[in-house]
Structures are given as C-alpha cells and as structure tokens.
Amino acid sequence: MATFTAACIQLRSGKTVAENAVAAEQLIRQAAGDGAAYVQTPEMSNVLVRSRDELMDRIGPEETDPFLAMARRVAAELSIHLHLGSLAILKEGGNAANRAFLIGPNGDVQASYDKIHMFDVDLPNGESWRESATYDPGHDSTLVDLPFGRFGMAVCYDVRFPAIFREQAKRGAEVLTVPAAFTRQTGEAHWHVLQRARAIENGAYVISAAQGGLHEDGRETYGHSLIVDPWGQVIAELDHDAPGYVLATVDTENVAKARARIPAIANERGFACRLADGLKEIPA
C-alpha cells in the first residue's frame, strides 16, 4: 500500500512541437513544485494537427522527438515519474504511432504503450475522424510497476472498451490511466461517466489528463482532467478547458477496500451467449 500525490496536466497543444514542450514543461514544474510525484500529460501532448500530411512533416521518431527529450530531462531533474499521455511518433513505413511513455525519476523510459483502438467515427455535428488513416494501432496492453503501485496504460478512445481495464485490474493494476483528447461533443456527453464507470467496475483509481479548448488546427476538446477514486468519486477535477493542472492524494489502500466491498473481479465468471432456444451459440 502506498500514498502519493498525482497530477494531471491539461494542455491545449498546437501544431509546433517545440512550443508545446515549453508550455508543458512550465506546468509540469509547477505541479512537481506542489508535491506531485507522478505527473501525467494528455494524449497528443507534443502536437495536434488534423492534416495527415502536415502532421507527418512535423513529427519524427522517438529518438529525435524534442518533447520526449524535454520530458526525460525534466523527470530526472525533478525526480518524478512523468507519464506522457501520448505523443505522435513517426514510424518506419510511413504511418505514426499514438504512443504513451512512462518516464522514471532517472530520466529513462520505463514503459511505452501504443493506443489500441482507433477513433474512426462520424459524429452527429458533422465531425468525422479516421485515426486509422494516420496511426498504426497497438496490439499489447501495458502494465508498469512504480513505487506507488501497479499502473495500467491506455489512451483516450480505449476508455470505451472496458475489457482492457478489466484485464489490467485482474493482473493487479491499482491505478488505471486514460490520458485523452476527447472532442467537446463526446466529452460533454460521456467523459465523466466513462471515467467513473472504469473506476467503479474495477475498484481502481483512474487518472485522466486531458486536452482542452479550441486548438490551432480547429478542433475543440473538452478538458476537465479528472482523478477518480476506486469507489467512483471524483476527487480532483480541472473544471474547465483551459491549460492548468490539478492534484490529488492517491492512497492505494483504498483499492483493496473497494475490492473487498464489491468483489466483482473475484466473482466474475465466463459465459456463452446463445439464442433463446438454448442450442445455438451466437458468434461474435
């Protein structure tokens, strides 16, 4: 069991990686100065560019990404665990990865995770997104052990696929993470309930830093970075869409307490899905 201070950094990332790194570094330093030992930034911290061609012109491989270099330097200087919610990283073959990084207090990358679920949707207000046209999806769910406990890594749209979080919780994750760049429309409708649901059903903390506001590429994101406790209570929220940060005390003893009260993971059973005649199983 461990107690630590966690921080969500809320950004309004634009098209220029170097400028985004400067803005993020300032907030990371402020959060660490307020006692945060674990600091999380949102999805696409390094750049938000809707045009595929323009994005590819602005990003590079992780070895040369200036945002990642800044993060490694700052994590080592401040002796914090710094979780980059994700960066757009150029891959061999012409596509990008939507890749999260967990950096330790020595500046080394302890874990990375490529977003599994691509946001390919057409929204009622006319917004249309096809992440799969730019990003290669990941295939593996990632867990990482920190001094405070076991963390599960996910990104944004993954939150709508509860199996990832259940499997992480079954494998000992006490803190689930969902850094995001939720659209304003979907955020207003679903952001809070999805974060709270993942916390409640798994008896785990959920930490979700967010992008917020009107971005340089014209998109609008919802903001409202959240930290939710294992009983589903919002214990910290940046209740707007402007850049900033929010802090909360996380006590992993509360994970054990929640799972003892409602042992949903222990009580889970496998089942088949069949038609009403009881004879024919319905394929997925």
Side-chain angles (χ1 to χ4, degrees):
M1 306 300 177
T3 300
F4 65 98
T5 299
C8 289
I9 304 295
Q10 189 157 288
L11 298 176
R12 188 175 294 161
S13 296
K15 294 183 177 183
T16 305
V17 176
E19 292 178 3
N20 296 331
V22 170
E25 180 175 350
Q26 181 179 6
L27 290 170
I28 293 165
R29 289 184 179 278
Q30 291 174 8
D34 280 344
Y38 166 87
V39 179
Q40 182 191 114
T41 71
E43 181 183 27
M44 292 289 112
S45 288
N46 64 336
V47 65
L48 270 176
V49 180
R50 186 158 186 169
S51 163
R52 185 187 192 282
D53 290 342
E54 188 177 2
L55 176 71
M56 294 303 181
D57 286 341
R58 291 174 178 268
I59 65 173
E62 65 180 73
E63 293 80 10
T64 61
D65 184 84
F67 198 105
L68 180 57
M70 174 279 292
R72 296 184 63 180
R73 170 177 53 82
V74 170
E77 179 184 337
L78 302 177
S79 295
I80 60 172
H81 286 86
L82 180 52
H83 181 171
L84 303 182
S86 80
L87 307 179
I89 296 295
L90 186 64
K91 297 179 63 179
E92 292 184 6
N95 269 1
N98 187 337
R99 183 169 295 163
F101 296 89
L102 202 298
I103 301 165
N106 61 358
D108 290 342
V109 174
Q110 295 186 346
S112 64
Y113 163 76
D114 285 4
K115 183 179 181 180
I116 292 173
H117 296 99
M118 299 290 95
F119 191 56
D120 289 358
V121 301
D122 298 300
L123 298 174
N125 67 349
E127 284 186 78
S128 183
W129 299 93
R130 292 292 181 272
E131 284 188 342
S132 62
T134 301
Y135 300 96
D136 289 334
H139 302 283
D140 298 315
S141 175
T142 299
L143 296 164
V144 57
D145 287 328
L146 302 186
F148 335 113
R150 180 164 291 176
F151 282 57
M153 300 175 74
V155 174
C156 198
Y157 190 46
D158 287 333
V159 76
R160 296 181 183 273
F161 301 86
I164 290 178
F165 305 93
R166 177 58 112 215
E167 290 303 314
Q168 290 178 345
K170 287 166 69 173
R171 287 161 173 74
E174 298 159 298
V175 180
L176 307 173
T177 64
V178 198
F182 252 58
T183 68
R184 180 169 299 281
Q185 180 181 182
T186 58
E188 288 173 347
H190 300 147
W191 175 250
H192 290 81
V193 69
L194 286 168
Q195 309 298 322
R196 295 185 65 200
R198 298 297 85 83
I200 292 166
E201 65 200 10
N202 295 299
Y205 282 93
V206 174
I207 302 177
S208 302
Q211 295 278 358
L214 179 61
H215 297 264
E216 188 179 0
D217 72 348
R219 82 183 72 197
E220 283 192 82
T221 54
Y222 183 58
H224 292 261
S225 297
L226 291 177
I227 301 177
V228 185
D229 76 9
W231 202 241
Q233 301 299 308
V234 176
I235 59 173
E237 177 177 1
L238 208 58
D239 191 18
H240 53 70
D241 65 8
Y245 65 94
V246 66
L247 303 165
T249 299
V250 174
D251 184 350
T252 57
E253 185 176 356
N254 292 325
V255 174
K257 290 178 179 178
R259 291 175 179 174
R261 291 174 191 162
I262 308 291
I265 296 173
N267 291 344
E268 188 173 74
R269 300 182 62 208
F271 57 90
C273 187
R274 301 182 185 278
L275 287 171
D277 61 14
L279 298 176
K280 184 178 180 181
E281 185 170 351
I282 304 172

